[in-house]
């Protein structure tokens, strides 16, 4: 089931974008990712992704995102969070892909 995955990340946009660059997600999107949107909030950033399934997002999160984020933050002398915020999943029923 296709889902909208939303999370509030307590990190500045520049760090999230730098992590994405390091992971190469802009040149080779993770399997199952349909789209990714990042917006700034007063406390960090709001992430809105569309994934082919919750399981595909969780596989990416557990095998790539979390390990690389922890390493990335440690390299910069920052204390990584103990865990990421819990994602909010919303089923997607009508998805139109633009050209």
């Amino acid at each position: 089931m296709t889902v909208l995955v939303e999370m509030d990340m307590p990190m500045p946009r520049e760090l999230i974008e730098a992590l994405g660059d390091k992971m190469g997600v802009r040149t080779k999107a993770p399997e199952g990712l349909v789209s990714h949107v990042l917006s700034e909030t007063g406390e960090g950033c709001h992430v809105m992704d569309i994934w082919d399934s919750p399981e595909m997002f969780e596989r990416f999160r557990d095998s790539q995102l979390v390990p690389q984020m922890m390493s990335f933050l440690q390299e910069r002398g920052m204390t990584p969070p103990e865990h990421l915020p819990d994602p909010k999943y919303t089923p997607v029923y009508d998805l139109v892909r633009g050209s």
Side-chain angles (χ1 to χ4, degrees):
M1 164 187 35
T2 303
V3 291
L4 171 66
V5 180
E6 295 182 82
M7 290 189 303
D8 287 313
M9 300 292 293
M11 294 172 56
R13 186 189 87 226
E14 295 78 16
L15 273 181
I16 294 175
E17 289 175 341
L19 175 61
D21 290 342
K22 180 179 179 182
M23 294 177 67
V25 295
R26 287 178 188 81
T27 55
K28 185 173 183 338
E31 180 182 2
L33 177 66
V34 176
S35 68
H36 168 76
V37 177
L38 181 69
S39 61
E40 289 183 288
T41 67
E43 296 79 39
C45 290
H46 185 71
V47 178
M48 295 173 288
D49 289 351
I50 297 177
W51 284 82
D52 287 335
S53 71
E55 296 80 15
M56 293 186 97
F57 166 71
E58 291 164 2
R59 188 174 317 125
F60 165 74
R61 177 194 63 199
D62 297 343
S63 68
Q64 295 179 48
L65 179 60
V66 170
Q68 291 195 43
M69 179 186 297
M70 298 304 165
S71 172
F72 177 82
L73 293 174
Q74 288 173 341
E75 290 169 2
R76 285 159 177 72
M78 301 173 74
T79 303
E82 290 188 27
H83 59 83
L84 290 180
D86 290 331
K88 175 186 173 192
Y89 296 109
T90 304
V92 172
Y93 298 105
D94 190 11
L95 175 64
V96 177
R97 297 175 193 251
S99 55

